Each structure stands twice: as C-alpha cells, then as structure tokens.
Amino acid sequence: MAQRRMFSKKIVETDFFMEMSPTAKLLYFYLNMSADDDGFVGNPKTIKLISGATDDDLKILIAKQFIIPFDSGVIVIKDWKIHNYIRNDRYNETQYLEEKKQLVIAENGTYSKVGIPDVIPTVSTGKDRLGKDRLGKSNNTMSDKSDDVIPYSEILDYLNKKTSRSFRNVEANKKLIRTRWNEGYKLEDFKAVIDNMVINWSGKNFNGVPAENYLQPKTLFSNKFDSYLNQTQIKSTSDKVVKGAPEWSNPQTKKDREYMTDEEVEALINGLGNP
C-alpha cells in the first residue's frame, strides 16, 4: 500500500466541506490517510478514536456522502479517485473485494453503490464546489436519510438539565430541531442557545409572565434561533424590559414588530409541560 496520500482542493476547499465541524473534517483527513489503495478503511471506529472525533462526526460524513458505509462495517472514501492517482506498479488491490463489487465509478471519478443514485452531487460540473445547499435544506430525500444523525435526545436532555423540565423526544419537538439542523446548525449551537436564554431569561418577567415559561423547544428552536444564538448573556434586574427577551415580549416595542397575542401567550403557558 502506498505511504503517501493526496487531497484535492475540489473537495476539501468547498463550502460544503468547510461547513462541517473541525473534528468531522479532521476525521475525514485521518480516514483518507488510513485508506488502502482503493480508498477502503476497515476500521473506521478505531480511526475515529485516534483522531479524537465522535460518533456524530462519523455519521455526518456518511450523511453528507463523503464516505460510503457497508454492512460489514467497512467504509470507502467516496471521492478517493479524485484525491489520489496511484501508479500501477505501486498499486495493491483492496482486500475488501465483496464491498468493491458493490461500487460503481462515475465519470468524474466518484464511487457510488450499485443501484443507489447519489443524492448530493459530489463535484459540480465546471465548479470546485460540493452541492449547492446545506444538508437536507432543499432535498427531502436527504433530509429523511440524515435524520438518524440529528442528536435529538442529547439536545432535549441538555435543555431538561438546564431548565429542570422534562420535554420528551416527540415529533413536535423533533420537527423544530430538524428544521434548524437542516439549516446548518449543529449540537454546539443548540447548547449555546439554551445557555444564552437560560441566563438571559431566568428570574425575569415578560408582561407579568415568568420568562422561564418560554424556555421550551417551541420558543428556543423557533425561527428566532439565530437571534438567540448570537445574543450576549446579560442578566438584568428590570422586569419591564429585559435584554435578550423575545421582541414580542416587550410592550414598549409592540408597534411594527413580531409578537405573540394574549391568546397565544395563554395557549403557550397552558401547554407547558404537555408536549
């Protein structure tokens, strides 16, 4: 097996690749370095431990189709032929011949499984870019396929721990998390939003309603998610106007803003704890 590996900028300098977490990218490089001359890795979990990556990182590489898994536990680097050209006099065929039989090579050099079409094109024609959209953003098939990589339980457990609540892993909560995840947000973003708003809202009141009542999935993981993510953690002693409070909770800015009606607030409060 050759001792040197190459990486194509057509893959590793694309927006689609760069959007991944640093540990997922590092795992990808480690897997490439450990692959045989056909791009197969027989011990991806061991490589994951060596690189310091997590199970989620491995799942993300699979979901984004940077690697292709087999039932045997073996994986193959999807764009191996784009990254590496190995001379015939130095090439040693993989030992994973059964897995190799399940692959076909596209004209652009990428692997795919026999009978399973690519959902996200690996390399766009004429452009050094992977895909045009974030994972699942505009492709329902991909969204469904990647659902098992979304850490629903970990996110809700973290929320419950921080708020002393007991929100469950039900579809209503999963739908909110899935929507934000498919927009490109990751586990650390969900935790940051929870941390920000627990600090900003704890001990406060919005129009006479305890702010803690809004520390729930339907509020935190709504379309205000990016705003909550980028808020500064500030504690305030004022119950009238709270920095970090949702816009609709501030009576002084009711005009020309998005806000919840009294009926919506009442319905929200009545529904707390009953997902």
Side-chain angles (χ1 to χ4, degrees):
M1 183 175 73
Q3 298 301 307
R4 296 180 180 180
R5 297 305 182 209
M6 296 179 289
F7 296 92
S8 172
K9 291 183 178 181
K10 290 184 178 181
I11 307 301
V12 300
E13 289 190 357
T14 60
D15 291 343
F16 199 63
F17 184 85
M18 297 304 294
E19 285 172 354
M20 294 193 299
S21 67
T23 50
K25 288 182 282 190
L26 180 62
L27 176 58
Y28 182 74
F29 287 122
Y30 263 92
L31 290 171
N32 275 267
M33 292 301 298
S34 302
D36 62 24
D37 290 352
D38 283 307
F40 288 87
V41 181
N43 56 342
K45 292 186 177 180
T46 300
I47 303 303
K48 177 199 69 177
L49 294 174
I50 293 173
S51 68
T54 65
D55 287 336
D56 281 345
D57 293 323
L58 188 60
K59 291 177 181 178
I60 286 171
L61 291 179
I62 294 172
K64 288 199 172 188
Q65 298 191 4
F66 285 110
I67 61 177
I68 300 174
F70 296 89
D71 293 339
S72 61
V74 173
I75 64 100
V76 69
I77 309 299
K78 180 180 177 65
D79 302 302
W80 179 257
K81 297 292 185 180
I82 295 177
H83 288 310
N84 291 277
Y85 171 77
I86 300 175
R87 288 167 31 184
N88 289 336
D89 60 338
R90 296 184 178 180
Y91 167 75
N92 292 297
E93 188 176 20
T94 183
Q95 62 178 306
Y96 304 108
L97 299 179
E98 290 302 317
E99 288 80 3
K100 187 176 181 180
K101 291 178 183 177
Q102 301 176 43
L103 296 177
V104 293
I105 303 177
E107 292 182 1
N108 62 358
T110 63
Y111 286 132
S112 62
K113 278 189 175 181
V114 176
I116 303 179
D118 290 341
V119 178
I120 297 179
T122 305
V123 182
S124 303
T125 304
K127 295 182 180 180
D128 294 343
R129 179 181 175 86
L130 281 177
K132 294 183 178 179
D133 300 303
R134 291 173 181 260
L135 178 62
K137 188 173 182 180
S138 64
N139 191 302
N140 291 333
T141 301
M142 191 60 188
S143 177
D144 293 338
K145 181 178 179 180
S146 64
D147 194 64
D148 61 349
V149 310
I150 303 176
Y152 297 111
S153 295
E154 189 169 352
I155 291 170
L156 291 169
D157 287 346
Y158 191 80
L159 175 59
N160 289 335
K161 178 181 178 180
K162 291 292 184 177
T163 61
S164 299
R165 307 287 281 281
S166 55
F167 296 107
R168 293 177 291 169
N169 193 10
V170 296
E171 183 57 32
N173 293 334
K174 290 172 64 176
K175 182 178 180 181
L176 292 164
I177 294 172
R178 185 184 306 117
T179 299
R180 303 286 82 84
W181 187 274
N182 287 342
E183 290 175 350
Y185 298 105
K186 300 305 177 189
L187 176 61
E188 56 268 25
D189 298 321
F190 284 89
K191 290 184 176 181
V193 165
I194 293 169
D195 289 339
N196 287 348
M197 307 325 293
V198 165
I199 290 177
N200 286 349
W201 291 356
S202 291
K204 310 301 188 302
N205 285 287
F206 301 154
N207 295 335
V209 179
E212 286 92 340
N213 287 349
Y214 299 105
L215 294 172
Q216 58 173 299
K218 67 174 68 176
T219 304
L220 298 178
F221 308 148
S222 68
N223 57 6
K224 299 290 185 180
F225 188 90
D226 194 67
S227 174
Y228 297 154
L229 177 62
N230 288 283
Q231 285 190 13
T232 303
Q233 297 179 357
I234 298 179
K235 294 184 178 180
S236 171
T237 58
S238 170
D239 289 336
K240 293 182 179 180
V241 180
V242 181
K243 186 173 182 63
E247 294 177 3
W248 40 260
S249 70
N250 188 349
Q252 296 183 18
T253 59
K254 187 171 183 178
K255 185 178 180 181
D256 298 327
R257 63 173 170 78
E258 181 183 349
Y259 64 94
M260 295 183 74
T261 65
D262 292 339
E263 292 79 6
E264 289 173 329
V265 171
E266 182 178 358
L268 179 61
I269 295 173
N270 291 337
L272 292 178
N274 298 301

